[in-house]
Amino acid sequence: MRLFLHLTFFLLLSYALVAQDSKLNPEDFKISGDTRMTGQNCYQMTNPVNWSSGSIWHKKPIDLRAPFELELNVMLGCKDADGADGIVFTFHPKMQQTGYAGEGMGFAGLRPSLGIEIDTWENEHLLDPSYDHIAILKNGSINHAYNLAGPNRLPNLEDCQTHQLKVKWDPADQKMAVYIDGRGYIWFRKDIINKIFQGNPSVYWGVTAATGGYNNKHAICFEKLDYREAKPLESLDYRLAQKLREGEAITLPSLQFDSGQSKVRPSSMAELDQLVQHMKKNPGMILDIFGFTDSSGSRQANQSISLQRAQAVAKYLEDRGIPRKQLNPQGYGEAFPVAPNTTAAGRRLNRRIEFRLTRPIP
Ligand SMILES: [Ca+2]
Ligand SMILES: [Ca+2]
């Protein structure tokens, strides 16, 4: 019993340690579009005019491996019959700008993503019901044919009142539940880390909103944010970091591509993220990203795929916050082999991306 009490106390204590302060620092948020701050913890998301849109993102990523509870008050305007469109509580691996306006509610097009929509406008071609509804969306798609859950009926929310929206995540059960004014309206169960975010547990969260051919004033106030921030990523292996400092070329062991493909694989992301951290500590330096292949296949095809891979890596780093002007992707095809192309082991070594940190040419 005593042990149990101690354990409970310890668990409560650790939970408190990760809880966020109820007074939020506006500096921690990134707002874009028409969204603006209106008071302590409060933001007007859209203006009550047609084709207004905006978003707010918290700058610190959330760790989806830990439970969280996020609570905000939502005001969706006063026009019921002709109010539009709605808001989406969104999770996304980039601190993204706003997605498409109108029926897109600032969420459409953000990919990969998870979104909790509160939609007050019926778009028949998206299979919207006529009433205000809630649904769980994924990957920037607002069509209910591709829902994770819903659309479920809500009472009219365009009633000039604020409504409490609470989102709870239980990673042990892989269950997310959403409550409005204390009542559960929707829930779903999914391995969102692997099935949506490709194994990445660290995502940003925010709220998007938009009006379209009709409008309403959408506003939110954050009430309670209890979650664990994703830990700072581990830094690059010290030997690799040392080589970069000395101007030498490095390769990342996990950075490999499927044959003929240029897509960055989820298994490469952790090391690329470490490279991002390294770049952030060296602002102003240029990162050469040189792609090479083995000698199988045509010279021309090799040149082209090596460039595509270098560009895909550059795009990944750019999406993680490294300015494009600091990235120099080039494709060299089968030139400059580091091993004979006569053995499988040699060819594997030749298929590579080399990174080198250089000073900008003045
Ligand atoms: Ca309504
Ligand atoms: Ca709609």
Side-chain angles (χ1 to χ4, degrees):
M1 188 61 191
R2 178 176 288 241
L3 177 71
F4 176 75
L5 281 175
H6 276 144
L7 195 63
T8 310
F9 179 70
F10 175 74
L11 287 173
L12 284 172
L13 186 70
S14 21
Y15 190 61
L17 285 173
V18 298
Q20 298 284 296
D21 198 303
S22 61
K23 267 191 189 163
L24 304 172
N25 182 356
E27 297 288 306
D28 285 341
F29 290 92
K30 178 184 163 65
I31 56 177
S32 64
D34 297 328
T35 298
R36 59 192 167 81
M37 192 172 183
T38 51
Q40 177 78 52
N41 299 353
C42 292
Y43 297 83
Q44 182 175 315
M45 298 298 301
T46 62
N47 297 316
V49 297
N50 290 356
W51 300 104
S52 173
S53 69
S55 63
I56 179 163
W57 294 90
H58 200 272
K59 291 179 183 171
K60 293 173 186 161
I62 197 165
D63 187 342
L64 294 175
R65 291 168 299 191
F68 65 72
E69 195 171 314
L70 306 169
E71 194 181 303
L72 53 156
N73 283 332
V74 174
M75 217 278 285
L76 292 171
C78 301
K79 293 179 258 185
D80 178 23
D82 59 349
D85 275 89
I87 67 163
V88 184
F89 196 101
T90 306
F91 300 89
H92 188 55
K94 300 169 209 165
M95 220 201 312
Q96 187 50 278
Q97 306 290 309
T98 315
Y100 297 115
E103 64 190 25
M105 293 171 289
F107 170 78
L110 304 185
R111 206 188 141 82
S113 62
L114 182 76
I116 297 155
E117 72 155 7
I118 297 180
D119 185 355
T120 64
W121 183 260
E122 178 184 14
N123 301 91
E124 286 179 18
H125 70 109
L126 300 173
L127 311 180
D128 280 349
S130 59
Y131 39 80
D132 295 354
H133 56 278
I134 186 166
I136 311 291
L137 310 174
K138 70 172 189 323
N139 293 338
S141 169
I142 48 169
N143 190 318
H144 293 300
Y146 310 109
N147 268 182
L148 288 175
N152 292 355
R153 183 174 197 137
L154 294 173
N156 171 41
L157 293 187
E158 298 157 304
D159 58 357
C160 295
Q161 306 291 317
T162 59
H163 297 277
Q164 184 206 59
L165 172 73
K166 188 160 76 176
V167 183
K168 279 173 84 167
W169 167 242
D170 173 6
D173 209 15
Q174 301 194 324
K175 182 178 169 184
M176 192 176 284
V178 185
Y179 304 80
I180 293 174
D181 297 330
R183 192 180 143 187
Y185 278 94
I186 202 164
W187 66 271
F188 74 104
R189 208 174 248 136
K190 196 175 181 70
D191 177 4
I192 56 180
I193 295 173
N194 289 307
K195 295 288 160 54
I196 293 180
F197 297 115
Q198 301 169 312
N200 174 17
S202 153
V203 296
Y204 295 97
W205 63 271
V207 179
T208 70
T211 70
Y214 293 87
N215 65 70
N216 239 337
K217 186 169 106 176
H218 302 121
I220 59 166
C221 294
F222 295 112
E223 287 296 306
K224 199 175 107 192
L225 307 174
D226 282 340
Y227 71 91
R228 187 165 82 189
E229 275 171 29
K231 283 209 184 78
L233 295 151
E234 287 170 53
S235 52
L236 204 58
D237 179 279
Y238 74 97
R239 284 159 297 197
L240 295 177
Q242 177 72 14
K243 278 188 169 181
L244 281 177
R245 270 193 294 276
E246 289 168 358
E248 282 183 54
I250 63 160
T251 57
L252 299 178
S254 70
L255 185 57
Q256 280 162 11
F257 294 88
D258 293 328
S259 175
Q261 298 292 311
S262 58
K263 200 167 174 286
V264 172
R265 298 201 308 203
S267 55
S268 308
M269 289 177 181
E271 260 188 327
L272 284 173
D273 289 345
Q274 293 164 3
L275 187 59
V276 167
Q277 298 307 98
H278 189 85
M279 286 296 290
K280 285 181 177 169
K281 285 184 223 147
N282 292 275
M285 295 291 276
I286 306 294
L287 185 69
D288 289 336
I289 305 166
F290 294 165
F292 301 90
T293 64
D294 59 28
S295 64
S296 344
S298 82
R299 202 173 280 267
Q300 207 174 9
N302 284 337
Q303 209 291 319
S304 152
I305 192 82
S306 67
L307 176 62
Q308 285 166 26
R309 286 171 177 169
Q311 285 171 336
V313 169
K315 175 75 172 52
Y316 181 88
L317 300 177
E318 187 185 354
D319 287 344
R320 295 273 160 162
I322 305 300
R324 181 66 186 83
K325 61 179 199 303
Q326 278 177 258
L327 302 167
N328 177 33
Q330 306 273 342
Y332 285 96
E334 58 193 73
F336 311 113
V338 290
N341 273 306
T342 46
T343 66
R347 287 193 291 277
R348 195 176 315 119
L349 287 172
N350 288 335
R351 293 192 298 268
R352 67 200 191 277
I353 299 275
E354 285 187 3
F355 298 94
R356 196 191 296 267
L357 265 188
T358 59
R359 290 193 185 284
I361 298 161

